[in-house]
Amino acid sequence: MTLSPAWLDELRARTVLSAVIAPTVKLLRAGREWKACCPFHNEKTPSFTVNDDKGFYHCFGCGAHGDAIRFLTDQRGMPFMDAVKELASKAGMDVPAPDPQAKERADRAASLTDVMGEVARWYAEQLQGLAGAEARDYLKRRGIDPATVQRFGIGLAPDSRSALKRALAHLGEDRLIETGMLIQPDEGGKDSYDRFRGRLMIPIRDPRGRVIAFGGRILGAGEPKYLNSPDTPLFDKGRTLHNIDRAGPASRTAKRLIVVEGYMDVIALDRAGVAEAVAPNGTAVTEAQLERMWRLDPSPILCFDGDSAGRKAAIRAALRALPFITPERTLRFVELPAGQDPDDVVNAGGKEALEAMLATPEALSDRLWRHEFEAAPLSTPEAWAGLKQRLVDHASTIGHADLARIYREEWLNHFFAQRRPAVPQRSFAQQRRGTFKNGRFVAPEKPPGEMMKQIGNRGIDARHARALLEGFALFPEELPAHCEQLAGLVIADRSTATLRDRLVEAAFSGAALDRDSVMTILGTNEAGGGDAPRTMGFSFTRRDSDPERARSDLAAAVEILAAAEEVDKALDDATERLKRDLTDEAYEEQQRLQEAQRGLRQRLASLAGTD
């Protein structure tokens, strides 16, 4: 059945969300909203809010978020249509009747699930019969006990081209072909035959627990090791997750979802007492599968095999997720020891070893940074430039604008921290005291907070702006790469801004620029004027600096100042929002931006040699 967006919007509009949630949790009025202890995770202080005007709930603790339909499917575990029907009944709305074609498809699908249920039972019987001795020995060697076999409905496809076809002929050859259990050759006149032969059979179920497909593992040598059902009216492998029927309820109890590579990995975790595990069906993780994961957990943990294939699969999933991540949903990663899969971890160390790894998953941003940083030796400027470009490209694919900026900033922070050689560190106390040098007292330098106070909506102060101009005068070859950023900076001092504009115009004109020509443009023998302060300590303002480091620091300074303007503007907006809307969400946004601002201050202070 297909429900139109307009009909669903009308259903939501007629539904009082707090009335749907109130039977589950005790709601307390808090202004225009309701508050409660979250029903999705254990807590003592209420962080779960319900807004009837906007029609959604949100937990500031665990990130649970959704409308009335989502609450019934996620918290009560109801199928989508059951949730819709319950809400429609209370709202006095009739659920649209399916069109005749849709009803026919639904009836046909129901008939096919009956066929698959019969097939699954027949496979299970073969495993327990005389022909199943080898398969039972294999399961015993893998540590899979009879209770696990029964729980997952594991069976056996005999090594025969027609055993299933003969045994289940009463189901109809056409329906066995339609479900993918028989193969009909394209050549006319040839008989159909069993798709699965000589394989351990693992049923794949839909969220309601109905068998819709199979994964077959070969018992001896041969390829392919795993053979899956083809796409059928019941089964779309790119939209299905194995074990979702059992993992869904388990994930709501465990407050997490584990994603592994294959069927046997799911069984290995189940043996260890971890029931909240799912697996894609022999394919790379798809967008549809990501959506299904996020319905169960806003931050699933991907725990793939510790080999090259497993690492590649994890990165493919990470990149596929980037366009769809939001503050409410992301991915986390656990990388198993080299050459091991979940079964190896459980056999070697039991559940304790597995839980120790799952307890410290790696964030999506960290996993992608590590992948790109380790992708190739960074022995040349070209390799470093390639790394930076890949990071920027990845950030640009993120659909959520704020997250895209934060990822880009975080990755560039890592990049410049690795790229720039370490500089001597001085304590804050030393900065405040001042020092004696050559018998004379040298006044204390401004601490990072004072140094950055003129960066923001009021524009960059003259000292920093002149330092940049001096840097581009000494290293004019860096100007083309950073000309646009330099042009976009707001410079508070009008005369310095005019010098900047002259330099930018010359760069955009395509004229060849060297030190002498830049000095001429700036109208002085020293960029920024002879009175430009030289006490800031930037490497790019000194002629005796290592050129490679100076150029790297100059690029970093431009990036920092450009980012600082964006952060300060966003912080002003967040502060205004907080004045209007005194909520935890607005406060957390302000705190996050202040932390980003402090990070930029520290980076600039480090470049200037004052941290």
Side-chain angles (χ1 to χ4, degrees), residues 305-307 311 335-341 344:
D305 294 354
D307 55 14
R311 288 188 290 272
E335 187 168 309
L336 299 182
Q340 293 191 15
D341 60 21
D344 297 322

Side-chain angles (χ1 to χ4, degrees), residues 78-232:
M78 296 176 64
F80 175 81
M81 281 308 303
D82 289 353
V84 167
K85 290 176 181 177
E86 178 172 318
L87 294 176
S89 174
K90 293 180 179 178
M93 295 176 64
D94 293 326
V95 178
D99 59 70
Q101 292 81 5
K103 186 176 186 303
E104 183 180 347
R105 289 194 298 269
D107 291 344
R108 182 67 174 172
S111 173
L112 295 179
T113 56
D114 292 339
V115 170
M116 295 299 280
E118 286 285 333
V119 172
R121 283 188 286 275
W122 187 79
Y123 281 148
E125 291 171 1
Q126 306 316 299
L127 177 62
Q128 302 307 321
L130 293 176
E134 180 186 355
R136 292 196 298 272
D137 287 342
Y138 169 82
L139 291 170
K140 185 175 181 180
R141 291 194 302 272
R142 293 289 298 260
I144 301 174
D145 58 27
T148 302
V149 170
Q150 184 175 7
R151 193 158 55 248
F152 283 92
I154 300 173
L156 173 68
D159 193 6
S160 166
R161 286 176 60 89
S162 59
L164 179 140
K165 180 180 178 179
R166 291 195 310 270
L168 300 180
H170 63 280
L171 296 176
E173 183 178 1
D174 60 331
R175 295 201 295 176
L176 289 172
I177 291 173
E178 192 171 5
T179 57
M181 304 316 300
L182 297 182
I183 296 176
Q184 178 64 63
D186 293 333
E187 300 87 348
K190 291 193 175 182
D191 291 339
S192 61
Y193 57 92
D194 293 2
R195 178 178 299 274
F196 296 98
R197 304 180 299 278
R199 290 178 179 270
L200 199 68
M201 301 302 291
I202 303 170
I204 300 169
R205 295 183 169 88
D206 66 10
R208 294 172 61 181
R210 298 175 301 182
V211 177
I212 56 175
F214 289 91
R217 192 196 191 285
I218 199 165
L219 289 171
E223 293 293 338
K225 181 187 292 186
Y226 284 95
L227 179 65
N228 299 318
S229 288
D231 285 352
T232 70

Side-chain angles (χ1 to χ4, degrees), residues 1-15 20 67-74 76-98 295:
M1 179 184 299
T2 300
L3 300 174
S4 70
W7 190 90
L8 288 172
D9 287 343
E10 177 67 17
L11 176 63
R12 295 184 183 101
R14 293 194 190 186
T15 299
V20 175
D67 59 12
I69 300 173
R70 182 73 177 265
F71 185 83
L72 294 181
T73 57
D74 285 6
R76 298 189 190 174
M78 296 176 64
F80 175 81
M81 281 308 303
D82 289 353
V84 167
K85 290 176 181 177
E86 178 172 318
L87 294 176
S89 174
K90 293 180 179 178
M93 295 176 64
D94 293 326
V95 178
R295 290 178 197 172

Side-chain angles (χ1 to χ4, degrees), residues 132 267 352 405 423 443 446:
I267 294 173
E352 294 77 14
R405 286 193 293 270
V423 296
K446 292 184 179 180

Side-chain angles (χ1 to χ4, degrees), residues 285-339:
V285 174
T286 66
E287 290 89 347
Q289 288 170 336
L290 287 169
E291 288 291 342
R292 285 192 171 243
M293 295 175 199
W294 281 324
R295 290 178 197 172
L296 298 176
D297 184 352
S299 55
I301 300 174
L302 272 61
C303 180
F304 290 174
D305 294 354
D307 55 14
S308 176
R311 288 188 290 272
K312 289 179 181 177
I315 294 303
R316 283 197 298 269
L319 295 176
R320 184 152 286 174
L322 281 183
F324 309 102
I325 61 173
T326 69
E328 290 81 29
R329 59 187 193 182
T330 185
L331 295 178
R332 295 178 290 169
F333 298 84
V334 166
E335 187 168 309
L336 299 182

